[in-house]
Amino acid sequence: MTVLPMTDERVFALLPGVSRTFAISIAALRGTLAADVATAYLLCRLLDTVEDDTTLPEVERRTLLLDLAGGIEHPEETGAVCDRLVRLEGRITATPCERELLLESRELFLRIQTLGGQRAAVIRRWAAEMARGMAEFVSDLPGQRIQTMADLARYCHFVAGTVGGMLTGLFVLCGPGISERRRRLLEEHMESFGRGLQMVNIIKDCG
């Protein structure tokens, strides 16, 4: 069976089902930037789905996240790891839309390969760092590896600072009216931008 890259229509159909709030923000974007950010977000949600599912043993999740990082950086290695994602069906306690995303992971990776070199490189760089960082904090007991504020800051970098870097890279490449001065400002604040988004989610969940 021939596998084709995920289409724009499919990306935007999956997005609302795997996003609590991000889909609303992406809807305000246009053109290539909107499609690229939506694609990048689906990849992040793919990683989140593996990280968050405590029904999978810690060792399995860590290994899978590290292998996903390798596949993100080296497209020729994605086939085997995508096969493993498909085999999680029936074992993982994900939502129906998250399960669809797992089952269509190969199409998502193929879509990223079709992007322009710089755009794909931005997504790959930050998503691979996210996957490796998530692997570092995976535990059978939620929160076990976050004991200090320094731990929390490091975790927030991996799950959100990387998103700030990814979005900033895509804004610079595809966003309208990005002057050199604005680019410098975006890059200066990309870490705090991403961490701020994550802290809002943490505070909301604590409440």
Side-chain angles (χ1 to χ4, degrees):
M1 178 179 176
T2 302
V3 178
L4 299 175
M6 190 177 286
T7 63
D8 284 0
E9 291 76 15
R10 185 56 178 154
V11 168
F12 287 105
L14 282 169
L15 190 63
V18 298
S19 167
R20 290 187 293 181
T21 54
F22 216 82
I24 300 170
S25 302
I26 294 175
L29 303 176
R30 295 291 181 270
T32 299
L33 181 60
D36 285 357
V37 171
T39 300
Y41 185 78
L42 289 186
L43 180 56
C44 294
R45 285 299 307 144
L46 185 72
L47 301 177
D48 282 340
T49 299
V50 174
E51 181 205 18
D52 291 344
D53 203 297
T54 55
T55 60
L56 300 177
E58 173 185 324
V59 172
E60 182 177 3
R61 283 184 287 153
R62 181 179 297 113
T63 301
L64 191 49
L65 285 165
L66 291 174
D67 289 347
L68 277 164
I72 289 166
E73 291 177 323
H74 306 287
E76 69 277 5
E77 298 177 10
T78 58
V81 73
C82 287
D83 288 343
R84 287 161 60 195
L85 291 177
V86 169
R87 289 197 295 272
L88 293 179
E89 176 71 12
R91 296 181 56 217
I92 197 166
T93 55
T95 68
C97 284
E98 288 169 343
R99 290 170 187 261
E100 289 180 34
L101 182 57
L102 290 174
L103 293 174
E104 296 178 44
S105 57
R106 193 186 297 271
E107 289 86 343
L108 178 61
F109 278 110
L110 284 174
R111 177 183 176 86
I112 294 170
Q113 289 183 44
T114 67
L115 302 180
Q118 287 183 299
R119 291 150 56 207
V122 166
I123 294 173
R124 291 184 190 285
R125 172 194 170 185
W126 293 107
E129 184 170 339
M130 176 185 287
R132 290 197 173 91
M134 285 178 170
E136 179 180 325
F137 283 90
V138 159
S139 171
D140 284 335
L141 298 175
Q144 183 183 42
R145 300 190 185 279
I146 301 177
Q147 301 295 322
T148 67
M149 291 302 293
D151 293 339
L152 178 61
R154 184 169 174 79
Y155 177 74
C156 284
H157 165 73
F158 287 128
V159 300
T162 51
V163 175
M166 186 183 293
L167 290 174
T168 296
L170 294 175
F171 290 163
V172 168
L173 288 173
C174 305
I178 304 296
S179 64
E180 181 61 21
R181 176 179 176 277
R182 183 168 293 181
R183 179 191 66 77
R184 290 196 302 270
L185 285 171
L186 287 169
E187 291 177 351
E188 178 183 350
H189 296 292
M190 64 184 184
E191 176 76 16
S192 57
F193 167 48
R195 287 196 192 190
L197 297 175
Q198 182 66 16
M199 288 297 185
V200 169
N201 282 338
I202 289 172
I203 292 169
K204 181 172 64 176
D205 290 342
C206 287

